[in-house]
Amino acid sequence: MRGSILGKVTVIAATTLLALTACTTDSSIENPPASEGAAAGESAAAEQPTEDSTEWFDQAVYDTQDEQRSATFEGNPAQPYLQYIDGEMTDTSAFAAEGPQKACFSNASISNPWRQTGWITMNQQLEVLQESGVISEMETRDAQDDDNTQIADIDYFISDGDCDAFIISPNSTAAMTPAVERACETGKPVIVFDRGVQTDCAVTFIHPIGGFAWGIDTAEFLSERLGEGDKVVALRILPGVDVLEQRWAAAERIFEENGIEAVDYFTGADPVEIKSIIADELATGDVQGVWMDAGDGAVAAIEAFEDAGADLPVMTGEDEMSFLRKWDETGIDALAPVYSNFQWRTPLLALEKIFKGEEIPAEWVLPQSPITENERAAFLTANEGMPDGHYAKFGGEDLPGYPEVWQERQIP
């Protein structure tokens, strides 16, 4: 039976995994784990999507996230994992409890560097809350990117987990909704974070601003630097996850409005496939820009231009250290959008407030600010010694074990 021991074992096992995925340009790696947002049962495949991205476009949500990009966040900027945009609050007084409480965490996976970085941070935050007597244990089940496995995990927690609270990071959006609703029906507090579901029954939904904000930041950056008729290759991870689909839905619209030719491919974050896509596109003409819905594999994209002897593109990646270092090395015109990795601390800190009966945001929207050229050097210095798969805005500098735990990529 998988339980709290799995949480520790999984992170240790991930150390070997990360040694492979942290430097994703190694052509000897076959089908490395997909990047943030990977959906269940999908394999790496360099093919152009057939879905119409307009089905994921929601003008109202787009407009809200656009406005939130410049919003004022409540709370201490030195603790971005506790900041939020002022809005509807949830009364949690009914959940107030005495003594340490058991948390049950259903995790989509730790199959990529973004999730591994967050999982390490989460476990270090757990250590703090265990020592302070807030949480007795956190029993964790890892669905390994599989919807059916996660549904079974959640149902196990409901029937046999003896849980005082549920934390769920959904593998995919629609498939997880009924299971989340069943957890809500227990009357125990439910926290959803990272990816959304199609219900608002949870006590709070914790996430950075969102996919539309990412798409706006990145597509506007490229559009400001490119001209009408220029070509952008968009490298996407996998379909069916709301934050990923929204990133592209926003970007595609902005590219169209600016007369930029954008062709998109699903890559599974496979560096071999990424290099092949770029090579094929360069063989048919110039490529002026590269857009990515997640940064894992960004270095492979740059290397494809280098291998072809082509001019390096204007590019958006992510705040993964491998990209920041390659960006610094090459001097390309680039932006590192961020899907704030420090959010992995927030669910446990939310439980601390819930067990005290304090109100919390019904939708806990965290800051999401890209790393610009002017900021890159500071983040490289602050994260010196971290492996390539580490994420610059991980937000765990004040937690026990820093920096060694993140450098070693395992729980001590």
Side-chain angles (χ1 to χ4, degrees):
M1 179 180 74
R2 292 171 293 169
S4 57
I5 294 175
L6 177 63
K8 304 295 184 182
V9 172
T10 305
V11 172
I12 293 171
T15 306
T16 302
L17 176 63
L18 188 63
L20 298 177
T21 59
C23 185
T24 55
T25 58
D26 183 350
S27 61
S28 68
I29 300 171
E30 294 185 0
N31 296 325
S35 186
E36 192 276 317
E42 301 283 355
S43 60
E47 58 181 23
Q48 290 187 262
T50 56
E51 288 189 9
D52 181 359
S53 66
T54 58
E55 71 180 78
W56 288 92
F57 189 86
D58 185 312
Q59 187 68 55
V61 179
Y62 177 98
D63 291 342
T64 296
Q65 292 188 16
D66 191 12
E67 293 175 4
Q68 289 175 338
R69 294 161 62 222
S70 57
T72 298
F73 285 79
E74 304 294 320
N76 184 354
Q79 297 177 307
Y81 42 84
L82 284 175
Q83 287 190 289
Y84 60 93
I85 295 176
D86 189 28
E88 180 185 354
M89 303 294 283
T90 299
D91 180 358
T92 71
S93 57
F95 301 120
E98 296 290 334
Q101 304 293 303
K102 179 182 178 181
C104 294
F105 176 33
S106 172
N107 190 13
S109 76
I110 55 167
S111 67
N112 62 74
W114 186 88
R115 302 192 71 82
Q116 292 156 11
T117 300
W119 174 230
I120 293 168
T121 303
M122 189 180 201
N123 273 270
Q124 297 310 106
Q125 181 65 72
L126 174 64
E127 183 179 312
V128 172
L129 294 178
Q130 286 179 308
E131 290 179 356
S132 64
V134 174
I135 295 177
S136 58
E137 65 173 309
M138 184 172 73
E139 183 174 352
T140 300
R141 288 196 160 201
D142 183 339
Q144 300 180 28
D145 296 312
D146 184 88
D147 284 341
N148 291 328
T149 298
Q150 188 165 36
I151 291 168
D153 290 344
I154 294 170
D155 286 338
Y156 157 76
F157 281 142
I158 292 170
S159 61
D160 299 311
D162 193 25
C163 308
D164 295 309
F166 302 91
I167 299 173
I168 300 171
S169 179
N171 183 59
S172 62
T173 302
M176 288 304 107
T177 298
V180 171
E181 290 176 331
R182 289 194 293 274
C184 291
E185 290 168 1
T186 67
K188 307 288 180 65
V190 175
I191 293 172
V192 173
F193 86 100
D194 171 28
R195 305 165 182 168
V197 287
Q198 296 168 338
T199 177
D200 60 0
C201 72
V203 173
T204 185
F205 171 32
I206 297 166
H207 61 92
I209 294 172
F212 288 125
W214 172 298
I216 295 167
D217 285 337
T218 52
E220 286 188 348
F221 175 84
L222 287 165
S223 297
E224 288 167 2
R225 286 155 173 78
L226 302 177
E228 185 173 353
D230 282 346
K231 187 169 191 176
V232 169
V233 175
L235 303 174
R236 305 172 62 188
I237 303 301
L238 291 167
V241 176
D242 56 357
V243 293
L244 295 176
E245 295 284 1
Q246 290 166 1
R247 291 173 189 179
W248 175 239
E252 184 180 37
R253 172 163 295 204
I254 292 169
F255 290 145
E256 289 177 353
E257 290 172 350
N258 286 278
I260 292 171
E261 179 187 352
V263 56
D264 63 310
Y265 296 87
F266 287 130
T267 71
D270 184 339
V272 176
E273 298 290 357
I274 289 171
K275 285 191 172 186
S276 177
I277 291 167
I278 298 296
D280 289 346
E281 288 292 341
L282 287 172
T284 64
D286 293 336
V287 175
Q288 288 79 24
V290 170
W291 180 93
M292 305 189 75
D293 68 358
D296 191 20
V299 173
I302 298 172
E303 289 178 344
F305 282 83
E306 293 175 324
D307 293 344
D311 291 340
L312 296 182
V314 182
M315 182 171 181
T316 62
E318 199 173 5
D319 62 322
E320 187 181 26
M321 294 307 300
S322 63
F323 175 65
L324 298 184
R325 289 167 178 149
K326 190 68 173 178
W327 176 8
D328 185 59
E329 172 194 327
T330 60
I332 60 173
D333 191 4
L335 181 76
V338 169
Y339 196 62
S340 308
N341 194 262
F342 54 70
Q343 69 178 290
W344 287 74
R345 297 183 67 169
T346 311
L348 292 176
L349 294 169
L351 280 186
E352 182 178 30
K353 293 180 177 293
I354 289 169
F355 293 143
K356 290 179 180 178
E358 299 177 0
E359 66 175 11
I360 61 173
E363 184 174 7
W364 194 321
V365 182
L366 297 162
Q368 177 182 319
S369 177
I371 295 175
T372 65
E373 168 75 30
N374 292 336
E375 299 168 316
R376 185 192 65 233
F379 279 101
L380 284 170
T381 299
N383 290 278
E384 187 175 358
M386 291 297 184
D388 279 345
H390 182 71
Y391 280 72
K393 288 195 173 185
F394 75 110
E397 293 88 347
D398 62 333
L399 289 171
Y402 174 80
E404 292 81 10
V405 170
W406 287 266
Q407 290 172 337
E408 296 168 2
R409 310 301 284 180
Q410 61 179 340
I411 299 300

